[in-house]
Amino acid sequence: MRVDREACVSAIEATAPDLLAYFRRRLPKEDAADAVGEVLTVAWRRVQHMPDDPHEARLWLFGVARNVLLQAIRSAVRQTELSARLRALAVESAAPADAGITVRDALGRLSEEHAEVLRLVHWDGFSLTDAAAHLGLGDSTMRSRYHRAKASLRAELSVHAD
Amino acid sequence: MSLVNASEEIRRIMTPDDITTMLSNADPGAISNAERAALHAMVRTTTGRGRLRRFAPRSAATIMITGALIAVGGAAAAATLSVWHPWAQHPDLTAQYTMTDGQQCEYRIVFEPGTTEAARTALTEAFTNSEVLTPAAVDAAIAAIRADPGAQRDADTGEPMGYGTAHYNAEWEYFNAVNAVVLSHVSDLGASQELATRGQAECE
């Protein structure tokens, strides 16, 4: 299979910031850079499987990212020279405490499946259909899970606001 | 549920509300301009002209490459890529070799705690003894690998990569055959249980 290298590079470049954000929402900030580095390595090794359509390529890259995330959760993310610069920047730009911490804490108290749906839709910009495909769920299952996730978050926030 | 009803439901539940606003304000994924620039360089380093492929899966504790393929020493083909893991910065064994498609590769081996002196000696001999990794030995190893198409699996997905499968890769097969020959030699010397290594290979 012939690979259009420039098209692949463009797809990866276009998605890379969103991949970094994806990991930053789910891993310690300093680990996110290494996780992106791992995605780039894996993606390029399997580049012959990358879809031609930009949207499909983006979803494919997020699929790679999900596998890297699951691996990272199971074991410490490997530090690479490739991501050293980005890792250093992450430490330098550590976010100050902000009002969002209440919401993030509440999100952290939800079940992982509820929290992940909300992260995908509200932070990563996935449609419900794309989020369903990303998680290997049916559309109707995704809709009901999303409903329940929002209700759970609202309940968590209400409890802690009382 | 009909398609029309499903669309209406999606519109209704996706309507911005208090939760949407709060989540938006709490997003920890902001990326600075400096980070975007670093990402751009990172992508170009990985996917640029120097094609990069990693042949050492994270789970491979005993992957090695050796023998007639190796010209130890000389300029390190991949050293300029700056992609070596920290543990591979100062390798115990280094090899340069050429893959079947002509790619130049460098393979670095690091001994981990637990490797006995006998195992070090056996592996080093396997790397340097030209009678170990002969073409015939590699061919025999390939034949053995092909006899079990499920023996080769993708380190990331677990999918079979053996001969005749959809993900078959001749270079990966060759790489595994070389490793099998070396491991067999180390085993013949009674040292395979005492071997603990990490390996990283990069090609360009």
Side-chain angles (χ1 to χ4, degrees):
Chain A
M1 177 179 175
R2 195 179 74 82
V3 174
D4 184 340
R5 295 179 58 82
E6 276 309 308
C8 292
V9 170
S10 296
I12 294 172
E13 273 191 326
T15 310
D18 294 336
L19 292 173
L20 178 60
Y22 172 87
F23 286 118
R24 190 164 287 178
R25 290 160 183 149
R26 293 162 176 82
L27 292 173
K29 198 169 186 180
E30 60 274 20
D31 287 346
D34 290 305
V36 171
E38 188 69 12
V39 170
L40 299 184
T41 301
V42 172
W44 202 244
R45 188 168 63 223
R46 302 176 56 77
V47 72
Q48 70 270 25
H49 300 294
M50 184 184 292
D52 294 332
D53 176 77
H55 180 68
E56 292 298 318
R58 172 185 165 82
L59 294 181
W60 181 84
L61 285 165
F62 270 96
V64 174
R66 184 163 185 257
N67 287 334
V68 168
L69 177 71
L70 295 175
Q71 177 69 26
I73 291 170
R74 284 194 294 267
S75 61
V77 179
R78 298 177 303 179
Q79 293 195 352
T80 66
E81 292 299 310
L82 182 66
S83 53
R85 171 64 180 153
L86 196 55
R87 194 165 57 242
L89 286 169
V91 173
E92 289 172 10
S93 64
D98 57 66
I101 196 167
T102 303
V103 177
R104 291 197 293 274
D105 283 349
L107 197 64
R109 291 191 294 273
L110 301 186
S111 68
E112 179 52 32
E113 68 177 27
H114 281 174
E116 182 62 3
V117 167
L118 294 176
R119 284 191 292 257
L120 285 172
V121 173
H122 288 275
W123 288 350
D124 299 316
F126 278 55
S127 68
L128 288 182
T129 299
D130 287 345
H134 181 74
L135 296 176
L137 302 173
D139 284 352
S140 61
T141 302
M142 173 56 67
R143 286 195 297 275
S144 61
R145 183 176 293 187
Y146 178 70
H147 264 309
R148 293 197 305 273
K150 284 181 76 172
S152 297
L153 181 60
R154 184 172 281 112
E156 277 292 335
L157 290 167
S158 299
V159 165
H160 284 76
D162 292 340
Chain B
M1 178 179 292
S2 71
L3 286 176
V4 173
N5 286 342
S7 298
E8 288 173 354
E9 184 188 13
I10 290 173
R11 268 198 298 277
R12 179 171 56 79
I13 64 179
M14 295 299 291
T15 301
D17 55 13
D18 54 336
I19 293 294
T20 302
T21 303
M22 283 189 284
L23 278 169
S24 177
N25 292 337
D27 185 357
I31 309 296
S32 70
N33 288 336
E35 287 170 325
R36 287 180 185 278
L39 265 176
H40 179 79
M42 194 170 157
V43 171
R44 286 288 163 180
T45 297
T46 310
T47 61
R49 195 174 304 165
R51 187 182 180 197
L52 173 66
R53 294 193 304 183
R54 179 160 293 144
F55 284 94
R58 58 180 67 84
S59 58
T62 54
I63 277 189
M64 297 155 286
I65 196 157
T66 172
L69 297 173
I70 298 171
V72 177
T80 56
L81 291 177
S82 299
V83 294
W84 299 107
H85 294 305
W87 52 262
Q89 298 290 332
H90 304 288
D92 294 307
L93 294 172
T94 300
Q96 284 85 45
Y97 59 96
T98 303
M99 298 299 282
T100 47
D101 65 356
Q103 288 189 98
Q104 297 297 309
C105 307
E106 179 173 330
Y107 200 173
R108 296 183 176 188
I109 297 293
V110 175
F111 290 116
E112 294 287 289
T115 297
T116 64
E117 195 55 42
R120 285 174 182 260
T121 301
L123 183 58
T124 302
E125 184 190 312
F127 264 74
T128 55
N129 185 344
S130 61
E131 294 183 1
V132 173
L133 235 188
T134 62
V138 174
D139 286 347
I142 288 175
I145 289 170
R146 290 185 179 183
D148 181 6
Q152 293 186 108
R153 290 186 179 276
D154 187 291
D156 303 307
T157 66
E159 294 173 336
M161 292 181 66
Y163 188 67
T165 67
H167 301 294
Y168 170 70
N169 182 308
E171 293 166 358
W172 181 238
E173 178 184 68
Y174 192 88
F175 184 80
N176 280 340
V178 168
N179 285 325
V181 172
V182 175
L183 281 173
S184 176
H185 179 76
V186 174
S187 180
D188 287 347
L189 296 177
S192 60
Q193 300 300 313
E194 304 158 353
L195 195 60
T197 66
R198 281 201 283 185
Q200 181 183 355
E202 302 291 349
C203 303
E204 63 178 356

